[in-house]
Amino acid sequence: MSHPKPVSTGDFHPVAVNNFAKTWTVDLGIPKGNQATNVYIFDNVIIVYADDNTAHVVSRQSGQLLFINTLPERSGTMHAPSIVGDLIIYPATSRIKAYSVKTGLLVKQFDVRYALRSAPAGSGNNLYISADHENGGRLEALDLSRNDALPRWEIMTIATMRGAPVLYKGYIFFASQDGKVRAVNEEKHSVWSLDDYYDGAFATAGSIVADIAVDQSGVYFASTDTKLYSLKL
């Protein structure tokens, strides 16, 4: 039987002088008695949710507070934001708001007829988001050029979806709580055929409740069967 070796002090190294040096600080303007609740990092901005139903958008480079957006009011759970093209998308359970990432002005808002369950993914006018209907979960493909939640198309997953879909190089990857992972292109065509996986989905022995991740090497997801999976693209 092997045992872990004790770590000697020679395995530790001093931290460089400028590591963890403060680069900037910004006052978010959150009213007294309220507080920041969530922080989301994007390429050029950081978005901070506060418990007074606001989102504070900060420049990553300069630390400047660019603008403060009002989140969907009385619309259930707030999900993480996404930046799609020039829009910041704020999804709540029953409503979506979209603001300009350049000006901070409200561009559009609309109610949805189903319960949204995650942050969206998207490109151009195409937005993909997890949703619950009375008869099961669905991946919804919305058109941001419209002012309503009528989907371009949708895919029923039967089981509910807890995690956010991922859009990678024109393909949407999404998982449901029955332990299945699916992949389709932006026209709804399945990437994996019935010859690859039953009903075009890779199935695990547990439930999938966390977000999945995708990069050039593969698709990664964890299941409650205690396993982490990696699939080749």
Side-chain angles (χ1 to χ4, degrees), residues 33-224:
N34 296 103
Q35 60 187 359
T37 58
N38 302 86
V39 178
Y40 305 99
I41 299 176
F42 297 91
D43 288 344
N44 298 312
V45 298
I46 299 171
I47 299 176
V48 181
Y49 281 1
D51 61 4
D52 62 347
N53 207 51
T54 56
H56 304 247
V57 183
V58 177
S59 166
R60 280 191 68 175
Q61 181 176 4
S62 67
Q64 177 186 359
L65 178 62
L66 301 175
F67 36 80
I68 299 174
N69 298 145
T70 301
L71 298 173
E73 302 86 357
R74 298 181 298 280
S75 302
T77 302
M78 274 304 308
H79 302 295
S82 292
I83 295 181
V84 179
D86 291 332
L87 296 177
I88 304 176
I89 308 296
Y90 296 111
T93 301
S94 60
R95 190 170 182 79
I96 290 176
K97 276 189 168 184
Y99 289 82
S100 167
V101 73
K102 296 179 179 178
T103 66
L105 297 177
L106 179 65
V107 176
K108 62 180 61 188
Q109 57 183 322
F110 51 87
D111 294 323
V112 295
R113 56 184 175 83
Y114 33 75
L116 301 180
R117 292 302 185 206
S118 73
S123 66
N125 285 320
N126 298 325
L127 191 72
Y128 307 98
I129 195 164
S130 304
D132 276 347
H133 289 249
E134 291 182 357
N135 56 350
R138 299 188 192 185
L139 175 71
E140 301 286 348
L142 305 181
D143 184 350
L144 289 175
S145 67
R146 300 171 58 96
N147 289 313
D148 57 48
L150 185 67
R152 292 173 48 235
W153 51 257
E154 56 188 9
I155 295 176
M156 181 179 290
T157 58
I158 305 300
T160 58
M161 298 171 62
R162 288 271 297 276
V166 176
L167 176 64
Y168 183 77
K169 293 188 175 180
Y171 297 100
I172 306 105
F173 300 86
F174 56 104
S176 48
Q177 286 191 264
D178 56 359
K180 293 181 178 179
V181 177
R182 293 175 171 85
V184 298
N185 66 18
E186 294 197 74
E187 299 305 319
K188 196 184 175 181
H189 300 136
S190 179
V191 174
W192 298 322
S193 69
L194 295 179
D195 293 332
D196 297 322
Y197 303 115
Y198 173 71
D199 79 357
F202 178 89
T204 72
S207 180
I208 300 175
V209 297
D211 292 345
I212 61 177
V214 183
D215 65 11
Q216 70 274 11
S217 300
V219 185
Y220 306 92
F221 49 93
S223 170
T224 57

Side-chain angles (χ1 to χ4, degrees), residues 18-34:
N18 291 324
N19 277 17
F20 305 110
K22 182 169 65 176
T23 54
W24 49 256
T25 302
V26 60
D27 185 342
L28 294 173
I30 298 174
K32 186 177 181 180
N34 296 103

